[in-house]
Amino acid sequence: MKKRLLLHLLLGAIAIVSALAVAAFLIYTLVLRSSFKADALEINEAFRTHNSVTVSRGALSFQASPEENESYNMFLLNRNTAVFSRKAVPETDETILLDFGSETLSFTGIEDGSAIALCWKTAEKEKHYIVRSQMTFAQLNASFMNSYRKAL
């Protein structure tokens, strides 16, 4: 009888801890997505208010056209762009950097290029996100190279 009661108590405790863990994960995910959407809208505003955006990767740079700005902006606002983490990832030689003047946005490929680390820096804050989208970093890189050749 005692063993049965202990077993029920143990199973109840496991169920409660599991439910709390799921709830905590869902809350974290909701907060993360909300924060990313708010920053994506802030970046959207930066695209609209800055006439000149410099796009660079290593020593290569060019002034982005409105169409190129829109493609980066749509990447952020795409409903298939999913945020997974706030982990900070150091920039590399392959990092694509958008310079708005007082703000910068960087895209760095991580893992096998299927995940992209974003860093949004303003005078007041620095936000980091890891995202996955239908567009891989290799595709972003190819788009950068095409735009760079076109700008020459």
Side-chain angles (χ1 to χ4, degrees), residues 1 10 24 28 30 50-51 53 57 65 88 119-120 133 142 144-145 149 152:
M1 188 87 150
L10 180 62
Y28 170 77
L30 183 61
H50 291 80
N51 295 331
V53 176
R57 192 191 82 207
S65 70
C119 179
W120 172 240
S133 183
F144 169 84
M145 289 307 297
R149 286 186 201 104
L152 292 179

Side-chain angles (χ1 to χ4, degrees), residues 120-137:
W120 172 240
K121 294 179 190 176
T122 67
E124 300 85 33
K125 65 183 176 184
E126 184 172 318
K127 295 281 193 99
H128 298 271
Y129 299 101
I130 305 292
V131 300
R132 291 192 196 285
S133 183
Q134 290 177 327
M135 182 178 279
T136 65
F137 185 74

Side-chain angles (χ1 to χ4, degrees), residues 37-146:
K37 288 296 182 187
D39 286 330
L41 291 173
E42 184 180 332
I43 295 166
N44 175 271
E45 185 65 26
F47 275 114
R48 285 192 288 149
T49 59
H50 291 80
N51 295 331
S52 177
V53 176
T54 303
V55 183
S56 61
R57 192 191 82 207
L60 308 175
S61 69
F62 64 93
Q63 290 300 119
S65 70
E67 294 81 21
E68 290 154 348
N69 289 343
E70 187 63 18
S71 70
Y72 288 109
N73 193 26
M74 292 312 296
F75 173 85
L76 296 171
L77 298 175
N78 188 323
R79 63 186 174 115
N80 294 319
T81 299
V83 62
F84 289 95
S85 169
R86 292 185 192 254
K87 181 181 172 188
V89 173
E91 294 179 357
T92 67
D93 293 339
E94 297 294 313
T95 296
I96 299 170
L97 182 68
L98 283 68
D99 188 348
F100 297 89
S102 58
E103 298 108 357
T104 60
L105 174 64
S106 66
F107 298 86
T108 304
I110 57 173
E111 297 172 5
D112 60 351
S114 62
I116 300 170
L118 301 175
C119 179
W120 172 240
K121 294 179 190 176
T122 67
E124 300 85 33
K125 65 183 176 184
E126 184 172 318
K127 295 281 193 99
H128 298 271
Y129 299 101
I130 305 292
V131 300
R132 291 192 196 285
S133 183
Q134 290 177 327
M135 182 178 279
T136 65
F137 185 74
Q139 291 169 311
L140 275 178
N141 198 25
S143 177
F144 169 84
M145 289 307 297
N146 289 337

